[in-house]
Amino acid sequence: MVNCLRQEPGGLRIPCAFVSNLNGPSEAEAFQFDELSMQSLLKGDLVMNVFRDGQLITLDRKEELTEHAYVNVLTRGDLSSLSWIASPLRHFVPCNPNVQLCRVYYSSLNFRDIMLATGKLPPDAIPGDLALQQCMLGMEFSGFDADRRRVMGLLPAKDLATILMLIKDSFGVSLRAGM
């Protein structure tokens, strides 16, 4: 109902308060907004506000500033859940001269990525073991390696990122790249 009301002229000013009592009796008791509850509701400026057992539930997302991140969909079928996620490469320690990081300057979001993210293409429709991986988005990238040489590549997944790991052979040709 709130979603419909918000579509009406002036409806963007309508917030919703959902009362969920887990510890109370089976029938929800009448919830009275006190001054503090109403102030916290208005201060949060959220469309949907959930009060559980008299307390406003807040989602404390820990955000981390990092230059090593990748994009993934947190909820399949919900494009608004596309998010930057801190990459495990932020802990990369170079120990092999044939393994280095590549800074990504371009990565495409293609039709397959959209179909996967919206849930219209199931993960097991992709060949190989990609269905078992956490991130399946991204196929093409270009950027610069640690020696500032231009690189580009095609991967089965995981290249919608800021940094990728390149594994090179003795001729300097990239054999694999990954997140």
Side-chain angles (χ1 to χ4, degrees):
M1 182 173 95
V2 171
N3 289 336
C4 290
L5 288 173
R6 289 183 57 82
Q7 299 298 318
E8 297 296 324
L12 294 178
R13 296 188 306 247
I14 298 174
C16 174
F18 177 73
V19 179
S20 171
N21 293 327
L22 297 178
N23 296 328
S26 61
E27 289 186 25
E29 299 173 13
F31 182 75
Q32 298 295 324
F33 282 104
D34 58 4
E35 183 79 23
L36 185 61
S37 299
M38 189 56 99
Q39 283 178 358
S40 63
L41 184 133
L42 295 174
K43 181 180 161 188
D45 196 29
L46 297 174
V47 174
M48 298 292 176
N49 300 273
V50 178
F51 286 86
R52 179 160 290 153
D53 297 321
Q55 298 292 320
L56 178 64
I57 294 177
T58 58
L59 180 62
D60 293 329
R61 251 191 213 183
K62 289 190 172 191
E63 293 186 6
E64 175 183 340
L65 291 177
T66 182
E67 63 179 293
H68 300 76
Y70 64 95
V71 173
N72 200 9
V73 64
L74 301 179
T75 306
R76 274 185 25 111
D78 182 10
L79 285 179
S80 68
S81 72
L82 277 171
S83 298
W84 285 101
I85 299 169
S87 170
L89 290 178
R90 67 186 186 274
H91 304 295
F92 177 79
V93 177
C95 58
N96 183 342
N98 293 331
V99 178
Q100 58 181 271
L101 294 182
C102 164
R103 183 166 301 280
V104 176
Y105 281 77
Y106 167 81
S107 184
S108 66
L109 189 62
N110 57 43
F111 185 68
R112 183 196 78 164
D113 297 327
I114 299 298
M115 295 298 283
L116 283 168
T118 57
K120 294 180 178 160
L121 181 65
D124 56 356
I126 306 297
D129 65 345
L130 288 180
L132 304 176
Q133 295 182 10
Q134 180 182 2
C135 180
M136 296 186 300
L137 302 181
M139 285 179 61
E140 307 95 5
F141 75 95
S142 65
F144 291 91
D145 66 7
D147 299 324
R148 298 290 299 154
R149 290 181 293 195
R150 286 185 253 180
V151 295
M152 57 83 58
L154 299 169
L155 298 173
K158 296 184 179 181
D159 79 342
L160 202 56
T162 59
I163 303 284
L164 295 173
M165 183 174 59
L166 295 177
I167 302 172
K168 299 187 175 205
D169 67 4
S170 59
F171 301 108
V173 178
S174 175
L175 297 174
R176 288 182 291 178
M179 181 179 64

